[in-house]
Amino acid sequence: MGQGIRLSMDGKGRATDNAFIERLWRNVKYEKIYLNPPKDGMDLYLLLEEYFDYYNHERRHQSIEYQRPKDVYRKAA
């Protein structure tokens, strides 16, 4: 269990977390959903699954020096 994960119970950092989540979902909408409108709930699920696989394994992120999240995670593990 010693993975250093902590839950904030006092709300500190909440604004930062909200900004991250809002930016993430803005990217999801503009890069995937608006370009490929889903036909139904299952289609939406599959689009999101495809996007998050791309987001975590292929897309390079400015905030982590244009590395892919999977590479950063592997270095930390």
Side-chain angles (χ1 to χ4, degrees), residues 6-15 17:
R6 298 181 314 168
L7 296 175
S8 174
M9 300 304 283
D10 59 4
K12 290 182 181 177
R14 183 176 51 211
D17 293 344

Side-chain angles (χ1 to χ4, degrees), residues 58-69 71-72 75:
E58 301 301 325
R59 186 177 189 271
R60 297 187 180 271
H61 297 254
Q62 181 180 3
S63 63
I64 52 175
E65 300 175 358
Y66 295 97
Q67 298 180 78
R68 296 175 297 196
D71 298 332
V72 173
K75 286 178 189 174

Side-chain angles (χ1 to χ4, degrees), residues 3-24:
Q3 297 175 343
I5 298 171
R6 298 181 314 168
L7 296 175
S8 174
M9 300 304 283
D10 59 4
K12 290 182 181 177
R14 183 176 51 211
T16 305
D17 293 344
N18 285 343
F20 171 77
I21 295 300
E22 288 176 14
R23 189 168 45 243
L24 170 68

